[in-house]
Amino acid sequence: MVKSLPRRSEVPAEETWDLNSLFASDKEFNAALESLQQEVAGFQKQFKGNIQDAASVVEVLTSYLALLEKLVPISTYASLSLSTDQTDDEAQMRSSKFGSVSAKMSSQLSFVTSELLALPEETLKSAMEQSGEFEVYLKELIRRKPHQLHPEVEKTLAAYSSTFSAPYGLYNTTKMVDMAFDDFEVNDQSYPLSYVSFEGDWEAEPDAELRRTAFTAFSNKLKEYQHTTAKTYDMQLQTEKTTSDLRGYDTIFDYLLFNQEVDRSLYNRQIDLIMTELAPHMQKYAKLLQKAHGLDKMTFADLKISLDPSYEPEITVEESKKYINEALGIMGDDYLKMVERSYSERWIDFAQNTGKSTGAFCSSPYGNHPYILISWTGRMNEVFVLAHELGHAGHFYNANREQNLFNARPSLYFIEAPSTMNEMLVANHLLKNSDDPKFKRWVISSIVARTYYHNFVTHLLEAAYQRKVYERIDAGQSVNAGVLNIIKRGVLEEFWGDAVEITPGAELTWMRQPHYYMGLYPYTYSAGLTISTQVSKRILNEGQPAVDEWLEVLKAGGTKTPVELAQMAGVDITTEKPLRDTIAYIGELIDELVALTEEIEEVAK
């Protein structure tokens, strides 16, 4: 039974992460922030106007890198302490203080990029020869040169950075602080509702009446905030459009894809092929769910249910270790030591409490260990979620050790490949260990319903919706709640066809994800999973050599483009083949679910 969420202060400490490796106290945090402000002022005094030759380029970048390394734990502490309880006044004020101080420091430091780009290209190339440590950073800087503005403009824009990121903060405040859900009733019994309980429990509730009533109650509350949330989102969109125009990009898509280092054709391909070629497979899956549950009709509120809820194992945090260790053992001892430390040293926040951010994420501050946020409900599904976040952790655990801060982070296009790879390793491990048709069906349905549904459907439909929104913004228009509802409903109806009834409230799904405040992020989930699906097949077939190559990819961090990183792992994403193969593989899994269900039903007769 779903319970009301406790306050953060009521949660056992062992279920929370330990931020002491960042700062042991607020006093320590404030002292570090004050010290860094003084260092930034000294840095500006020392170097501004003095970057003139290759030697001074290397000198300024060495000092600049040291400053940024000191900024990382301060930024991370401010962000993570707020993410676990956004109702906490102290955490709110700390985050706001950091935002304003960070914007001031960014403005003071903006001269570095401006002065470097004012130098002849030959000088920058000479600096690369003198210090290979800065080669990737300087190459990227040269690539950015056509979009660089006057130094004073850059300084002013940097000073407004906290204002530009305000829509994301507003979104989270509306969602996690202001939006309070009432209990809902079914058959004269009252049930508690919250963002976390809806997305963690009620969406997957086997009882159709409970599940659908919860969906209606949840949607009704979202609807009350749709106009504020839409206005917040439009503010984000208009800021991005203005920035795109100011910097001279042809379209807002070119601006948002620039840092991802991928051609727009790769972005469009991911959306277009999945919308057309995956849709028939997923419609078949929806009809299978309807039949298995004996539903009168298949509605949007029914899409997250398990194929066989009676076979859904419950699992404790402690029990999850065994599955994670066995599944990820193929990655080697060093990787497993990281996994062990994540549990024993409290890198993971498992607690469920009011005000906590929804979903799950991994933060990997340079020079420290990763931190993972998850709200543990006890469903076996969470083993996949935890493996996913440990994939991010393992990626940056390796990259941060091998690369400097400038070089550690790869393109957003590639960022979800290591995370989804771990989900595939969990699935492959579970499939190997049983021939029981019911268990096999449960594992395959978990792969389809968790790994592929989440990344190839939920996030991809976000991406298809997002593309239509940006096309509108690029044409000089704006959006409001009515427009966003129409666009979202249209995308859902196009994908699900007549297999699923898009019931009232489904159109408000655009309100639920923070990804829209992170550029063209949603489509990268399917892009990453396309790569990891192909690499996981290689690991199954080839074993250790494929694993060793994958570990080298993780260590490479951001020193290569997404195309080059995929090539290192034996996948060519310049062609449609990996994506078509992955879609075909999902189709095969769904066909196998249909066959297993028929086999199980035949035995039961």
Side-chain angles (χ1 to χ4, degrees), residues 518-535:
M518 303 171 187
L520 297 177
Y521 187 15
Y523 91 102
T524 65
Y525 281 86
S526 64
L529 183 51
T530 299
I531 295 167
S532 60
T533 298
Q534 301 309 312
V535 179

Side-chain angles (χ1 to χ4, degrees), residues 346-411:
R346 287 175 49 208
W347 298 2
I348 309 169
D349 200 273
F350 292 102
Q352 289 192 60
N353 59 264
T354 55
K356 183 173 177 178
S357 292
T358 58
F361 67 73
C362 177
S363 175
S364 299
Y366 191 87
N368 207 296
H369 61 70
Y371 287 91
I372 292 170
L373 179 141
I374 185 173
S375 293
W376 195 264
T377 63
R379 292 180 186 274
M380 183 67 179
N381 167 57
E382 247 122 44
V383 173
F384 285 90
V385 180
L386 186 53
H388 177 105
E389 299 308 333
L390 284 166
H392 287 304
H395 187 187
F396 289 104
Y397 185 77
N398 279 282
N400 288 351
R401 286 188 304 183
E402 298 289 328
Q403 308 297 338
N404 68 32
L405 179 57
F406 287 147
N407 298 350
R409 194 168 185 83
S411 156

Side-chain angles (χ1 to χ4, degrees), residues 146-165:
H147 305 289
Q148 186 76 0
L149 302 172
H150 186 278
E152 286 304 312
V153 177
E154 292 291 350
K155 182 180 177 183
T156 304
L157 288 174
Y160 276 102
S161 58
S162 64
T163 307
F164 294 150
S165 62

Side-chain angles (χ1 to χ4, degrees), residues 133-205:
E133 189 179 8
F134 303 122
E135 182 178 353
V136 174
Y137 177 82
L138 289 171
K139 277 183 178 174
E140 179 59 20
L141 208 60
I142 292 168
R143 193 171 78 90
R144 192 181 299 277
K145 191 167 188 173
H147 305 289
Q148 186 76 0
L149 302 172
H150 186 278
E152 286 304 312
V153 177
E154 292 291 350
K155 182 180 177 183
T156 304
L157 288 174
Y160 276 102
S161 58
S162 64
T163 307
F164 294 150
S165 62
Y168 180 46
L170 280 173
Y171 167 78
N172 277 322
T173 301
T174 304
K175 176 179 175 180
M176 301 310 305
V177 182
D178 284 345
M179 207 179 284
F181 292 86
D182 299 322
D183 293 354
F184 66 95
E185 283 194 10
V186 173
N187 296 327
D188 296 325
Q189 189 167 346
S190 187
Y191 299 90
L193 183 64
S194 66
Y195 237 110
V196 171
S197 69
F198 179 74
E199 295 190 340
D201 286 295
W202 292 122
E203 268 195 314
E205 166 61 44

